[in-house]
Amino acid sequence: MSSYVIDPPKVVTVPVAGGGEFPVRRIFCVGRNYAEHTREMGGDPDREEPFFFTKPADALLTGGADMPYPPKTADLHHEMELVVAIGRGGTDITEAAALDHVYGYAAGLDMTRRDLQAVAKKAGRPWDMAKGFDLSAPIGEIVPAARIGHPAAGAITLSVNGKLRQSSDLDRQIWNVPETIAYLSGLVTLAPGDLIFTGTPEGVAAAVRGDLLEGAIAGVGSVRTRIV
């Protein structure tokens, strides 16, 4: 009988509205999934297919906890996003069946070391250290789809120190949730516990120490953190 030679890592979980914890396996993030943000970042929303990057599960920050300003950056950006929690896995999931695989939804922030990302892009290198750093994914409670349905439209906003910074609607996504799940499941086998951050609208900008970030998605919930 085998035994661990070190203590195994703790299971990362996100609180579920109404009680319970959602265990997290992997975090996938969709890049440039709103037309105006794609233009904001120098892309062409009319021709780009979806692309994905990942964050480690322990990048999640829950419960409205403070987020430490990360090292090796002078340009930390916020990106407000709808998060999809996968409850049933699969490969090559069809768009028609995609929502049957969703457990629920949450509001989340994809925090980005934009200066490191710019250097990586210019050098043709991976973005990992720009996106997947410690506590780079603040997230609110996951709300079961059985309770709220599957939001295809609704306001998505982020305020910084009480001032509106990002404002859009879920129906402006280039790739909607069923399309995203179908496409991603053709690249990897999705499994229960996977999260998908579905991209951010325009208005991304720098956050500094002391800033209070408060995001909300109509019909889904909210996310909050202070940069310290």
Side-chain angles (χ1 to χ4, degrees):
M1 182 177 180
S2 62
S3 60
Y4 297 116
V5 297
I6 61 171
D7 291 336
K10 294 180 179 179
V11 175
V12 176
T13 65
V14 177
V16 174
E21 297 282 332
F22 183 89
V24 178
R25 180 172 181 259
R26 296 177 294 186
I27 302 174
F28 299 98
C29 305
V30 185
R32 299 180 185 176
N33 198 27
Y34 288 77
E36 289 306 317
H37 175 61
T38 301
R39 296 186 183 98
E40 182 177 60
M41 299 303 293
D44 182 349
D46 296 322
R47 295 196 298 178
E48 292 183 344
E49 292 193 341
F51 66 93
F52 301 86
F53 56 92
T54 62
K55 291 176 182 270
D58 60 8
L60 291 167
L61 180 65
T62 62
D66 292 343
M67 177 188 166
Y69 195 95
K72 308 297 183 182
T73 185
D75 196 19
L76 175 69
H77 278 211
H78 56 70
E79 299 190 12
M80 179 65 196
E81 311 202 0
L82 172 71
V83 183
V84 179
I86 298 297
R88 183 160 65 90
T91 303
D92 291 324
I93 299 167
T94 66
E95 290 180 28
L99 296 181
D100 295 335
H101 293 255
V102 176
Y103 172 79
Y105 299 90
L109 287 164
D110 165 21
M111 302 301 291
T112 302
R113 294 193 278 204
R114 191 71 73 200
D115 44 1
L116 270 63
Q117 186 186 38
V119 170
K121 284 182 179 180
K122 187 174 181 179
R125 296 172 180 168
W127 297 1
D128 297 56
M129 293 301 100
K131 290 286 193 177
F133 55 93
D134 297 340
L135 305 179
S136 60
I139 189 171
E141 289 185 325
I142 293 173
V143 184
R147 175 172 158 185
I148 62 169
H150 298 281
I156 175 170
T157 61
L158 178 74
S159 295
V160 179
N161 302 323
K163 295 182 179 180
L164 189 63
R165 186 77 65 83
Q166 291 186 264
S167 180
S168 189
D169 195 286
L170 297 178
D171 66 6
R172 296 180 188 173
Q173 290 181 335
I174 297 170
W175 296 83
N176 63 30
V177 170
E179 291 169 336
T180 297
I181 291 172
Y183 195 99
L184 180 58
S185 70
L187 296 171
V188 297
T189 299
L190 292 177
D194 288 341
L195 297 180
I196 305 172
F197 280 62
T198 60
T200 193
E202 69 275 14
V204 300
V208 300
R209 290 175 180 85
D211 279 351
L212 177 62
L213 279 55
E214 296 175 295
I217 300 176
V220 174
S222 62
V223 60
R224 178 186 186 276
T225 192
R226 186 181 295 276
I227 309 300
V228 299

